[in-house]
Structure formats: C-alpha cells, structure tokens
Amino acid sequence: MSLDDLNWLVSNTEPRATKMIQHLRAEGIAHEELLALMGNLPRHKFVEPAFSHLAYSATPLPIGRNQTISQPLTVARMTQWLLLYARLGRVLEVGTGSGYQTRILSHFFNKVHTVERQQWLHLQAKQRLSSMGVKNVEYLFADGQTGWPHKVEMDAVIITAMASKIPLALTRCLKPQGILIMPIDHPSPQIGCWRKEGDRWKRLGTEAAFFVPLLEGMEHA
Ligand code: SAH
C-alpha cells in the first residue's frame, strides 16, 4: 500500500466506514463478523475512481461498463441471509462485477465460483482480489445463466443482477436444501431468499431493492 493510500484510509475511510456500519446495524444487520469485515474492507477500491468519495454512502455506485455495485445494505442483507441459512461450503455467484460481494463471500465460504459476462469487469475483479490475497475464488468469463460448467453442486447460488424469473439451469446446480438469493423484478423490484425443497421453493425472506438486469451472452473487453 502506498503512503497516499494509507493517508487516505486513515483520514477518510475510518469515520465513513463507521457511519456505514452504524447504518447497517440500524437496518437490522446483526452478524458481528460480517459487520467487522465490511467495516474493514476498502470499498473505495471497488468503485469507479470518480465516485470513491461516495463509496461508504447508502447508494449504488458505478463500477464501469454501465454496471453498478449495490448499496452496502443490500450486500449485507444478501450475505446475512446466506450466513443464516446456507451451508458455507461452495457458493456460485452470477455477476462478479467489481468483486466486492465476491470478496465478502470468500471470507465465509470454503470455495467461491464467480461468473461475469463482461470481460473487462471479470479481469479487473480477478486482479483486484488477487492483489488483496484472496485465494479461494474461481473466476469465469461467461454467461452465468447456464450455471457453472463443471459438475459441482453448490450449497448456495447468489445472483447479483435482476431477472423476471429464476434461471432453470442455476437451480439445477443447487444441492437439495440449497439456498438461492436473487433480485427479481416481479411483482416489484426486490431481493429474495429461497430454500430448494424438492421441486418447490420455500421463501425465507424478501426486501425491496433494485439491480442492473441479468443479460444474455458475453461482452469482450
Ligand atoms: N456483485 C457485484 C455487483 C454486480 S452488478 C459487485 O459486488 O460489484 C451485476 C453484474 O452482473 C454486472 O457486472 C453484469 O455485467 C453481470 N451480469 C449480468 N448478466 C450476467 C450474466 N448472464 N452472467 C454473468 N454476469 C452477468
């Protein structure tokens, strides 16, 4: 870390991160390890540089390629559901984006598989997390709607882009009793948490939230 980085962290990040954590607590995020992790993660390194001064605010921010990182509360809510309900073995994330959610997942799960359809974001996130010493993540540049290409079953699937219905292929790579977290725009934009019970889905939680759309195909850098 350069001296500039260090000065920035000392003079700016700490109070803003503390405020962010207070806000998360006030909104019902109670998992202490998650709060400690989010309080220590340099969120300003995951957003477009022009927006780094807003990185700890309760707002979604640009991460490049017309994509956005969710506001901290949405990331915390989705993660808290996983911590409450999922086995923390293997998780599939569709929509690597900046890698912020990936970084949080990597702290709690043994193994993270993350897929991104924008090559530029895929490469940036991979480099960012590697430089932070994150080792238990497999990155894939692909359309994540078809699931993970190898036959591994997931304890949880988290989709960080919004769709109208659950992509079937993704449900197939979930273990029985696996947890699915995704934003869905029907009947109104919201994030939801479901448990796979045979061929039924038991809804465990929902909350209003807005996301960029889940898109088809891949975009090269
Ligand atoms: N979790 C991210 C936020 C990502 S925004 C973060 O913490 O920064 C949603 C991301 O999903 C975007 O990067 C977008 O390119 C990606 N995406 C959309 N449709 C996709 C698809 N079918 N497969 C893989 N990634 C997709």
Side-chain angles (χ1 to χ4, degrees):
M1 186 185 287
S2 73
L3 195 58
D4 274 358
D5 273 354
L6 197 63
N7 283 336
W8 201 96
L9 273 175
V10 172
S11 61
N12 293 291
T13 309
E14 223 181 89
R16 290 181 199 188
T18 304
K19 239 180 116 195
M20 178 183 92
I21 298 304
Q22 283 167 355
H23 173 67
L24 297 182
R25 277 190 201 282
E27 294 293 332
I29 304 301
H31 194 285
E32 290 303 328
E33 197 177 337
L34 173 61
L35 290 166
L37 176 67
M38 289 184 71
N40 284 308
L41 264 189
R43 196 171 147 88
H44 59 280
K45 292 197 170 165
F46 290 82
V47 303
E48 273 195 348
F51 294 88
S52 60
H53 62 295
L54 293 174
Y56 300 85
S57 310
T59 176
L61 290 172
I63 55 171
R65 297 297 189 268
N66 287 325
Q67 304 302 313
T68 55
I69 184 173
S70 308
Q71 67 148 308
L73 179 59
T74 305
V75 175
R77 183 76 68 213
M78 296 200 294
T79 310
Q80 185 164 266
W81 278 333
L82 289 172
L83 296 171
L84 271 174
Y85 301 121
R87 254 196 86 243
L88 302 177
R90 225 180 254 282
V91 62
L92 170 65
E93 178 191 33
V94 176
T96 314
S98 68
Y100 182 74
Q101 176 79 65
T102 321
R103 172 67 189 86
I104 293 176
L105 295 173
S106 77
H107 178 85
F108 293 105
F109 281 82
N110 291 337
K111 184 86 192 181
V112 182
H113 302 264
T114 186
V115 191
E116 173 56 56
R117 65 178 290 282
Q118 292 258 10
Q119 192 175 28
W120 186 83
L121 290 170
H122 156 78
L123 293 172
Q124 292 266 320
K126 193 172 171 176
Q127 195 189 20
R128 187 176 286 131
L129 296 195
S130 303
S131 73
M132 292 177 175
V134 175
K135 296 206 164 61
N136 58 336
V137 177
E138 266 194 65
Y139 306 83
L140 183 71
F141 166 47
D143 177 344
Q145 292 186 86
T146 50
W148 192 256
H150 312 293
K151 283 227 169 314
V152 277
E153 282 201 313
M154 306 290 167
D155 294 296
V157 172
I158 175 170
I159 309 177
T160 64
M162 194 166 250
S164 299
K165 54 181 197 264
I166 301 172
L168 199 62
L170 288 177
T171 68
R172 292 209 185 100
C173 58
L174 251 189
K175 283 181 186 169
Q177 304 295 311
I179 297 297
L180 172 73
I181 306 230
M182 74 176 286
I184 203 140
D185 59 12
H186 183 80
S188 59
Q190 56 189 281
I191 41 173
C193 172
W194 294 268
R195 183 187 286 125
K196 184 180 180 179
E197 295 186 348
D199 51 10
R200 304 175 58 128
W201 293 94
K202 183 177 169 67
R203 194 169 73 186
L204 304 171
T206 55
E207 183 169 300
F210 194 79
F211 274 78
V212 293
L214 191 69
L215 299 173
E216 291 199 358
M218 293 151 74
E219 280 185 45
H220 287 263

